[in-house]
Amino acid sequence: MGELSDRLIAELIDAVRSQLRKEQGDKLRDIYLIGDIEKDTARTCIERLRELANDSSKPITIYINSAGGNVTDGLAIHDSIRHVVSRGVEVTIIVQGMAYSMGSVVLQAASDGRRFGFPHSWIMIHEPAKWAGWQSTTAAAQHLDRLKQMQNQIYRIMAERSGKPLRQIIKDTKRTDFYLDAQKALDYGLIDAVVAGELPEPKVVEMKESEPIASSGPRIVESDIAAAARAPELEKTGSEGAGEAGKAGQAE
């Protein structure tokens, strides 16, 4: 009976803690998009987004740390965020760690001026064929029409939100992975600001001119150095002279 009571008490405590965490999460109105973008993470993110949007029109913050994933799931998240934004709900997206590939596309769905990145976060964009998950040209050729449509959709999203010409986006992502740190992503137009939190710059300490340190050894002057430099020559001359004298004595 005692063990049963203890178990019931433990379950009750867990239930209360779970409810408190849920209420705290509802209060914060935060969503975490962590890991690969695929159907399960997309469903969880979209359900949570719509739940918060239906609850109230207060701002929502999405934290993203993703290396990318499935293109259609990523576009589903992007479009869901844009739909919520169109209803008047402000959505902020903050990159913590990385927003690569489809993660960078989801980032562009934030409200105007609300795309942020932490100081040491990274963003990567590349050719939409890689977003689609086709690793070979043969697979891409089988879905050429669909690939072209996806390319147009993604290129236009990136160009519209970054302010870069469409030709520039295509050039920078053609057959390569284009990596940018937070500052470069800001300059490129992929984020609107770098969130505070960077380490302060190291203080520059001016070195004071100190007096020459007096040597405790004997003082060396230029004449001593010159004499030391000539010493090997003198020794060589002396040895040669002694050798000639010895030869002359033997000859006698």
Side-chain angles (χ1 to χ4, degrees):
M1 187 67 180
E3 294 180 359
L4 181 60
S5 299
D6 293 341
R7 187 174 63 183
L8 290 174
I9 292 173
E11 291 177 355
L12 179 61
I13 292 174
D14 291 339
V16 171
R17 288 177 176 173
S18 178
Q19 182 63 27
L20 290 174
R21 283 195 296 267
K22 184 178 183 301
E23 291 177 357
Q24 184 67 18
D26 293 341
K27 183 178 179 181
L28 293 175
R29 296 177 66 80
D30 291 346
I31 301 174
Y32 297 91
L33 182 55
I34 309 297
D36 294 340
I37 296 175
E38 38 81 28
K39 62 179 182 179
D40 290 334
T41 55
R43 182 179 67 248
T44 302
C45 180
I46 293 172
E47 287 178 351
R48 178 64 174 159
L49 178 69
R50 295 194 179 281
E51 179 184 345
L52 292 176
N54 292 332
D55 181 59
S56 75
S57 59
K58 294 180 180 179
I60 298 172
T61 301
I62 299 176
Y63 293 89
I64 183 170
N65 184 14
S66 174
N70 186 277
V71 63
T72 53
D73 292 323
L75 289 175
I77 298 174
H78 173 277
D79 291 348
S80 297
I81 296 172
R82 294 307 299 170
H83 179 251
V84 169
V85 171
S86 69
R87 292 168 50 188
V89 179
E90 183 181 80
V91 178
T92 298
I93 300 181
I94 302 176
V95 182
Q96 52 177 21
M98 60 183 168
Y100 292 172
S101 192
M102 279 310 297
S104 65
V105 178
V106 172
L107 170 64
Q108 305 310 310
S111 300
D112 292 344
R114 305 302 296 178
R115 301 169 303 163
F116 299 148
F118 283 144
H120 301 104
S121 60
W122 285 81
I123 297 172
M124 184 270 286
I125 58 177
H126 59 189
E127 193 174 6
K130 296 181 180 179
W131 278 320
W134 298 322
Q135 301 300 324
S136 66
T137 55
T138 303
Q142 295 175 355
H143 304 274
L144 186 58
D145 291 339
R146 184 185 175 203
L147 173 60
K148 288 182 178 179
Q149 292 176 1
M150 287 182 176
Q151 285 180 332
N152 290 334
Q153 289 175 339
I154 294 173
Y155 279 146
R156 290 187 181 279
I157 289 173
M158 304 304 290
E160 180 182 349
R161 295 311 304 272
S162 68
K164 293 287 184 183
L166 188 61
R167 182 177 298 179
Q168 182 69 37
I169 299 290
I170 296 174
K171 177 184 176 182
D172 291 338
T173 60
K174 192 69 175 178
R175 300 183 184 278
T176 185
D177 294 338
F178 190 50
Y179 289 89
L180 305 99
D181 60 21
Q183 185 58 50
K184 290 182 179 178
L186 175 61
D187 298 337
Y188 197 84
L190 295 179
I191 60 176
D192 300 304
V194 179
V195 179
E198 190 173 5
L199 294 175
E201 292 292 332
K203 295 182 179 179
V204 178
V205 180
E206 295 183 0
M207 300 296 293
K208 296 182 179 179
E209 295 184 0
S210 57
E211 295 293 332
I213 300 176
S215 175
S216 58
R219 184 181 180 185
I220 301 177
V221 295
E222 293 183 359
S223 58
D224 296 331
I225 298 175
R230 292 197 302 270
E233 297 181 359
L234 295 175
E235 291 179 359
K236 182 178 180 181
T237 304
S239 61
E240 290 177 353
E244 291 178 358
K247 290 179 181 179
Q250 292 177 359
E252 291 176 355

